[in-house]
Amino acid sequence: MTPSHAYLDYSAEVAAAKATGKPIVALESTIITHGMPYPQNGEMAARVEAIIREEGAVPATIAVVDGRIKIGLTDLERNALAQAKDVMKLSRADIAFAVAQKKTGGTTVAATMIAAELAGIRVFATGGIGGVHKGAESSFDISADLDELALTPVIVVSAGAKAILDVEKTIEVLETRGVPVVGYRTDVMPAFWSSRSALPAPLRLDEAAAIARFHATRQELGLRGGMLVANPVPQDEEIPAEVMSGHIAQAQGELGPKGISGKAVTPYLLGRLLELTEGASLKTNIALVENNARLAAQIAKSL
Ligand code: PSU
Ligand code: MN
């Protein structure tokens, strides 16, 4: 069945960009609803949109509001989402549920990729993708973001996989699923809050135009699916991996005793790290998303 576009609502700005062929960058909203506290979440979301405009592209923040898939939010809608309580965290498994039941939710990387493809948007900026959680060999907790990257032809610009994950296993799964992982101006994988990890980046490209060309070449070869661009957080904003790893281990150790599992894991860990680092993790998280938005806009312009 060809997908229906009847559930999509475009903001005026995104509709105009589509009509005139201006480059567009998709942005997710789980980072707003479940990834950061109010009011920093709303400020971050507005700032990231502004950066994309400064770079000469048009931002399309994606979310589901009362069952409508929004491609681009007004300031009012974005601020309402930043303050909304008890909204859903929507991935591939439940985005259609929210549409059918007229619910509101933040879209994860996976669900944002699905909506971006429906809307004809090829580049998407986030913080860090979901991946294989530590202890996945017993919990089986592997983010649907990884399968989505294998399926859906959208370039996802991230600071790697969040360092709360088992990054090595995450890279292995991406390789198995045939997802290219491209280090931007780096030979080693970034680790979200830290610019460097101990793992090599599978591929490396140094220019936005080269990333756009690589994506186009994959499509010309009939290779379905997206790619992950790993863009290190600027060094003056990073938190060294040695500092983060102790905090991550502590937060991780609280999951079992507190009975936290499934969709709640990532939001809990991000919230706890904010406390343990006394706000530093949030400051870095915002800096890396801004950095990713800038690169995503440059890639969108090159496509
Ligand atoms: N990047 C951030 N903060 C976030 C996320 C990404 O800087 O909160 C979100 C994304 O929406 C991603 C989700 O898809 O975390 C992963 O959730 P899970 O591990 O439950 O698949
Ligand atoms: Mn999960």
Side-chain angles (χ1 to χ4, degrees), residues 133 141-143 262-263:
H133 279 269
D141 190 348
I142 301 177
S143 177
K263 276 174 178 283

Side-chain angles (χ1 to χ4, degrees), residues 204-270:
R204 172 180 174 149
L205 289 170
D206 288 357
E207 302 305 328
I211 295 170
R213 201 176 327 120
F214 178 29
H215 184 67
T217 306
R218 291 191 79 230
Q219 300 212 296
E220 283 161 12
L221 290 172
L223 297 167
R224 287 274 309 166
M227 72 168 71
L228 181 66
V229 177
N231 183 29
V233 65
Q235 270 173 29
D236 54 351
E237 303 273 9
E238 77 174 327
I239 306 177
E242 317 80 80
V243 175
M244 280 314 285
S245 61
H247 296 311
I248 292 169
Q250 177 171 344
Q252 181 75 31
E254 294 167 3
L255 294 172
K258 291 199 168 178
I260 293 161
S261 64
K263 276 174 178 283
V265 169
T266 297
Y268 176 81
L269 293 175
L270 292 177

